[in-house]
Amino acid sequence: MHQSWPGGRTSESSSPHRSSRIPADQATVRRSNLSLVLRHVSERGPCSRSAVAVETGLNKTTITSLVGELQARGLLKEIGPQHAGSVGRPGLALVLDGSKVGALGLEVNVDYIAAFATDLAGRVLIDRRIGFDAMGSAPERSLAKLAQVIEKAVADLDRSGVALAGITVAVPGLIDTATGTVVVAPNLNWHGVPVVDSLLSAGVSPSVPITVDNDANLAALAEYSSGVAMGTPDLVYLTGEVGVGCGVISSGRPLRGADGFAGEVGHIMVDAIGERCGCGRTGCWETKVGLAALVRMATPDHAYGTDQQPVRDPEERLAEIEQRRAEGDPRVEAAVTEVGRWLGRGAAILANLFNPRVIVLGGFFARLADGLIPIAQAELERLGMTVIAGRCAFTASTFGFGAASRGAVDVVIERVLSDPTSIAIRND
Amino acid sequence: MHQSWPGGRTSESSSPHRSSRIPADQATVRRSNLSLVLRHVSERGPCSRSAVAVETGLNKTTITSLVGELQARGLLKEIGPQHAGSVGRPGLALVLDGSKVGALGLEVNVDYIAAFATDLAGRVLIDRRIGFDAMGSAPERSLAKLAQVIEKAVADLDRSGVALAGITVAVPGLIDTATGTVVVAPNLNWHGVPVVDSLLSAGVSPSVPITVDNDANLAALAEYSSGVAMGTPDLVYLTGEVGVGCGVISSGRPLRGADGFAGEVGHIMVDAIGERCGCGRTGCWETKVGLAALVRMATPDHAYGTDQQPVRDPEERLAEIEQRRAEGDPRVEAAVTEVGRWLGRGAAILANLFNPRVIVLGGFFARLADGLIPIAQAELERLGMTVIAGRCAFTASTFGFGAASRGAVDVVIERVLSDPTSIAIRND
């Protein structure tokens, strides 16, 4: 069952769902009440109509009408008799259906495209990862490949009788979510790439809503909804890749900032007298804990540069480092120690600012977690505010490289829960 | 009119107000609907019962009952006939009353105690600042003084026929909001000080809810609800005092973190080879932009230490620096430049992480804003991510030292809007 977000309740507030400076019309009220009932059943599990009426405060006539519409849209179904608790007589229970409604999440990253799909109830329908050199390809080529992956996924879902509710694409960069454009994705070398428009031009059906979001924001969401930090309302997700990504969940909500760019940790200055970064600044965190830094320290014979030189075949480099580490190469161990130390130093800043309970490590950080975490945790506790750092622990993601595409699916499902009218009434 | 927070709507979500994992009982539904109607009228301004019914989706019988209760609690009143728009006939309009309901906010800081009170509609009833050497006094003495200030304020409100809805106290430190205890307030030298319990022991009436919160968090809220950044949903508030405080509003909500400690900027490391800080760490931001740093650079003859030495009489020191600056003292100008530069460097980190539209400067930063802002802004744009820093501007608070106590009042008012049953039914 999915955690509620970003409309999830926090302990200090109970947001009215229909008040607004702009008066709501009746269609808005209807949509909002459909959402209220669907979310209620989704979070609470099987419950009778009477229970839903009492617990939502809506009257029974309204509930009957709302439930009918949610059934027609294939979102709720009835299961055998249940005891309805203290109110009303035993009757059929409502549960989330959604077996005919699918959500598709994708991730484009430096050297792969990932696809993940579930139905509305969370049953996994697709989970695949395709090796693809997006870093070395023009954006047009990468988007053509992405469109192919989407078309295959849609066809597969279609064959299973699942109608797609939406598609969300994760990209490691700053995203203009309103237009679905990547403003900049340094490690893909994308600048002003209109992802949604390109997919539509490439033949992806315009009948399905497509959104684009930052990969680490989506991964953070996946960790919160179903990962190692499931249900922890204040967490920071850090992913070690060619760059360093960060997503923040605060009080159970993704932290977005004014433009959706919050959590850009890669280029905060952590060492004023450090190396020059590919971005032109000096001492960026990425120069200390990014994959290039690890590769440079662990395998100096490869002579990866400190500046603009990209890491080619990052997956291969990482496999090589893991191999050498298993063989006891002291240079690799020293490199892991040094990355762990800087990971902790940067994390101390993040802890003081976000006060998270958990810092989830993804990407290569997760692969080297046993070496990185003890050192990073000690450094976090040395440099962070005592009362904050002492209540904050590193933990490794269990999602491997799949976290962002899982979070992308969560976004689609949340959209359905927020607006059930986005799912067409079924004719079957 | 107050901005809604933290239950305020964000563009991406419409939170159902009555769904919860714990089934709501009818009293909860009633309370929630009272809040819905009160908040609706508060935000929308005068409107008819019919309009409230249409816009909230509640039926007219329910509305009549809810409005009656809100009137009995002195929270709503009727004013002369209004045209009700497209629905219903012209009738009496409902408006927020609250003239008999007051909110009291206080701030204890290094060298003063501030008190601010308004009625529910925002009319200012008390606005005073009492010089008091809290830094040089034992916590017990400071709390006894605070209790005195509260008692006088309550008596004044009582004489005006205003019943107090609640009290919130702002303290520059880490607060356990659940128990109203200051975990640590370094510049007051408070450790584990049970503020609420102490006030109750000192005779403050237990019939009024008392809460304690961080001063900068509350000031950020005040800037959002009624200050220079009114209505800007993503902002960072930075206050230069003996320490450096920070409060963050993100998507219209105060950022709290797991323990309410988010935004602890004073001790993030910005200079690994910098001076030793009073906290024992090295290169903390506070050593670069705190009042001690300014005083040390601007008036070296006073020989303020780089470490544990506190700044005595900060207000006097600041007045002296302003005086010398007006006289054209080049050391003062150089000190302002240096503080401005480090202000921008730290702000670049905050901008990358929080993606705010505005950074509001309070405390002595506001007093020296004309000198600090151009330098800090240039440094922010040089070091921050281009697309983020380019959309983020420094601005000076206009609240002087009163921001935190204003935010404290906002907290009390928000609590009334969230739970109108916290206000007793009136007998007059």
Side-chain angles (χ1 to χ4, degrees):
Chain A
M1 188 166 302
H2 287 266
Q3 293 286 324
S4 162
W5 77 283
R9 264 76 46 221
T10 58
S11 56
E12 76 272 29
S13 81
S14 63
S15 309
H17 74 299
R18 289 172 303 200
S19 95
S20 165
R21 283 179 194 80
I22 301 156
D25 63 17
Q26 300 202 316
T28 309
V29 170
R30 176 80 181 180
R31 191 158 60 233
S32 178
N33 283 336
L34 286 166
S35 168
L36 179 65
V37 170
L38 182 61
R39 199 184 288 278
H40 190 78
V41 175
S42 160
E43 291 175 359
R44 191 188 184 286
C47 52
S48 70
R49 282 179 171 73
S50 318
V52 175
V54 170
E55 291 159 16
T56 62
L58 295 169
N59 73 51
K60 287 198 192 171
T61 316
T62 306
I63 292 289
T64 301
S65 161
L66 295 169
V67 166
E69 180 170 341
L70 292 168
Q71 286 177 308
R73 294 186 190 275
L75 298 170
L76 286 186
K77 66 181 176 189
E78 286 177 320
I79 57 173
Q82 297 263 322
H83 288 277
S86 57
V87 178
R89 57 187 170 72
L92 295 173
L94 297 166
V95 295
L96 202 63
D97 182 359
S99 60
K100 301 287 182 243
V101 177
L104 176 60
L106 300 119
E107 179 190 2
V108 182
N109 217 312
V110 169
D111 57 351
Y112 63 87
I113 293 174
F116 189 75
T118 74
D119 69 13
L120 197 62
R123 184 171 53 109
V124 177
L125 304 171
I126 294 172
D127 186 2
R128 62 177 74 118
R129 179 162 177 247
I130 300 106
F132 177 77
D133 181 17
M135 185 192 246
S137 306
E140 298 70 31
R141 207 170 140 247
S142 299
L143 288 168
K145 180 69 183 175
L146 177 64
Q148 271 179 27
V149 173
I150 291 173
E151 273 168 35
K152 174 156 170 31
V154 172
D156 290 351
L157 293 173
D158 199 45
R159 263 195 301 280
S160 325
V162 172
L164 199 54
I167 298 172
T168 292
V169 180
V171 178
L174 300 181
I175 317 295
D176 178 348
T177 53
T179 62
T181 299
V182 174
V183 178
V184 55
N187 297 315
L188 298 178
N189 200 23
W190 287 13
H191 298 268
V193 174
V195 174
V196 170
D197 287 351
S198 302
L199 292 175
L200 294 176
S201 302
V204 173
S205 165
S207 67
V208 175
I210 309 174
T211 60
V212 185
D213 211 333
N214 173 271
D215 64 338
N217 287 352
L218 293 171
L221 187 57
E223 298 295 350
Y224 175 56
S225 70
S226 57
V228 286
M230 182 170 165
T232 303
D234 293 274
L235 70 88
V236 169
Y237 173 84
L238 285 178
T239 177
E241 319 260 344
V242 170
V244 182
C246 172
V248 179
I249 304 288
S250 182
S251 298
R253 296 160 195 273
L255 187 80
R256 303 203 62 83
D259 308 291
F261 300 163
E264 276 300 311
V265 299
H267 302 281
I268 61 172
M269 189 182 73
V270 295
D271 183 8
I273 53 166
E275 302 98 298
R276 199 166 171 81
C277 178
C279 73
R281 298 177 190 85
T282 296
C284 295
W285 199 23
E286 199 160 298
T287 65
K288 303 293 187 181
V289 299
L291 187 56
L294 177 73
V295 168
R296 190 177 66 244
M297 290 187 282
T299 59
D301 39 320
H302 276 82
Y304 274 101
T306 55
D307 44 26
Q308 317 254 355
Q309 201 169 352
V311 178
R312 305 297 308 184
D313 305 316
E315 190 60 32
E316 277 176 39
R317 290 288 82 71
L318 186 56
E320 184 189 331
I321 286 171
E322 287 183 302
Q323 173 65 27
R324 288 203 193 182
R325 185 165 179 239
E327 293 163 8
D329 184 334
R331 282 180 310 185
V332 172
E333 212 49 51
V336 169
T337 300
E338 187 65 5
V339 169
R341 199 171 286 141
W342 281 105
L343 189 56
R345 286 180 195 168
I349 296 177
L350 304 185
N352 284 6
L353 297 184
F354 297 121
N355 182 205
R357 190 64 79 227
V358 171
I359 299 176
V360 180
L361 297 180
F364 84 79
F365 295 153
R367 300 263 288 268
L368 302 172
D370 66 314
L372 291 172
I373 286 182
I375 293 158
Q377 184 76 36
E379 200 70 354
L380 165 64
E381 291 176 20
R382 187 173 74 83
L383 290 174
M385 293 284 284
T386 309
V387 290
I388 293 175
R391 302 181 192 179
C392 176
F394 283 98
T395 186
S397 172
T398 55
F399 283 143
F401 287 87
S405 52
R406 284 173 183 267
V409 161
D410 292 339
V411 167
V412 175
I413 292 178
E414 169 59 26
R415 207 162 45 217
V416 175
L417 293 179
S418 291
D419 180 10
T421 65
S422 63
I423 303 299
I425 291 177
R426 299 174 67 87
N427 299 313
D428 56 25
Chain B
M1 189 168 301
H2 287 266
Q3 293 287 324
S4 163
W5 77 283
R9 265 75 47 222
T10 58
S11 56
E12 77 272 28
S13 80
S14 63
S15 309
H17 74 298
R18 289 171 302 200
S19 97
S20 165
R21 281 178 193 80
I22 301 156
D25 62 18
Q26 300 201 313
T28 308
V29 170
R30 175 80 181 179
R31 192 160 56 233
S32 179
N33 283 336
L34 285 166
S35 168
L36 179 64
V37 171
L38 182 62
R39 200 185 288 278
H40 191 78
V41 175
S42 160
E43 291 176 357
R44 190 186 184 288
C47 52
S48 70
R49 283 178 169 74
S50 320
V52 175
V54 170
E55 291 159 16
T56 62
L58 296 168
N59 71 51
K60 288 199 195 172
T61 316
T62 306
I63 292 287
T64 300
S65 161
L66 295 169
V67 167
E69 182 171 339
L70 291 168
Q71 286 176 308
R73 293 186 191 276
L75 298 170
L76 286 186
K77 65 181 177 189
E78 286 177 320
I79 57 172
Q82 297 265 320
H83 287 277
S86 56
V87 179
R89 57 185 168 74
L92 293 174
L94 296 166
V95 294
L96 201 64
D97 181 359
S99 60
K100 301 287 183 242
V101 177
L104 176 60
L106 299 121
E107 179 189 1
V108 182
N109 217 312
V110 169
D111 58 350
Y112 65 87
I113 293 175
F116 188 75
T118 73
D119 69 13
L120 197 62
R123 183 171 54 110
V124 177
L125 303 171
I126 294 173
D127 186 1
R128 63 176 74 119
R129 181 161 175 247
I130 300 106
F132 177 77
D133 181 17
M135 185 192 245
S137 306
E140 299 70 30
R141 199 160 149 253
S142 300
L143 288 167
K145 180 69 184 175
L146 178 64
Q148 270 179 26
V149 173
I150 291 174
E151 272 167 36
K152 172 154 171 34
V154 172
D156 290 350
L157 293 173
D158 199 46
R159 261 195 301 280
S160 328
V162 172
L164 199 55
I167 298 171
T168 292
V169 180
V171 178
L174 300 181
I175 318 294
D176 178 348
T177 52
T179 62
T181 299
V182 174
V183 178
V184 55
N187 296 317
L188 298 178
N189 200 23
W190 287 13
H191 299 268
V193 174
V195 174
V196 170
D197 288 351
S198 302
L199 291 176
L200 294 176
S201 303
V204 174
S205 166
S207 67
V208 174
I210 308 174
T211 60
V212 185
D213 211 332
N214 173 270
D215 64 337
N217 286 352
L218 293 172
L221 186 58
E223 298 295 350
Y224 176 54
S225 70
S226 56
V228 286
M230 181 170 166
T232 303
D234 293 276
L235 69 90
V236 169
Y237 173 85
L238 285 178
T239 177
E241 319 260 343
V242 170
V244 182
C246 172
V248 180
I249 304 287
S250 182
S251 298
R253 296 159 195 275
L255 187 81
R256 303 203 61 85
D259 307 291
F261 300 163
E264 276 300 311
V265 298
H267 301 281
I268 60 172
M269 191 182 72
V270 294
D271 183 8
I273 54 166
E275 302 99 297
R276 199 166 171 81
C277 178
C279 73
R281 299 177 190 84
T282 296
C284 296
W285 199 22
E286 199 159 297
T287 65
K288 303 292 188 182
V289 299
L291 187 56
L294 177 73
V295 168
R296 192 177 63 245
M297 290 188 281
T299 58
D301 38 320
H302 276 83
Y304 274 101
T306 55
D307 44 26
Q308 317 253 358
Q309 201 169 352
V311 178
R312 305 297 309 185
D313 306 315
E315 190 60 32
E316 277 176 40
R317 291 288 81 71
L318 186 54
E320 183 188 332
I321 286 171
E322 288 182 301
Q323 172 65 27
R324 289 202 193 185
R325 187 167 177 239
E327 292 163 7
D329 184 333
R331 284 181 308 185
V332 172
E333 214 48 52
V336 169
T337 299
E338 187 65 6
V339 169
R341 198 172 285 139
W342 281 104
L343 189 57
R345 287 181 193 166
I349 295 177
L350 304 185
N352 284 6
L353 297 184
F354 297 121
N355 182 203
R357 189 63 79 228
V358 171
I359 299 176
V360 180
L361 297 180
F364 85 79
F365 295 154
R367 299 263 289 266
L368 302 173
D370 66 313
L372 292 172
I373 287 182
I375 294 158
Q377 184 77 34
E379 200 70 356
L380 165 65
E381 290 177 21
R382 188 174 73 84
L383 291 174
M385 295 283 284
T386 310
V387 290
I388 293 175
R391 300 181 193 180
C392 177
F394 283 98
T395 186
S397 171
T398 54
F399 283 145
F401 286 87
S405 53
R406 282 171 185 268
V409 161
D410 291 339
V411 168
V412 175
I413 291 177
E414 170 58 27
R415 208 162 46 219
V416 174
L417 293 178
S418 291
D419 180 9
T421 65
S422 64
I423 303 298
I425 290 178
R426 300 174 67 87
N427 299 315
D428 55 24

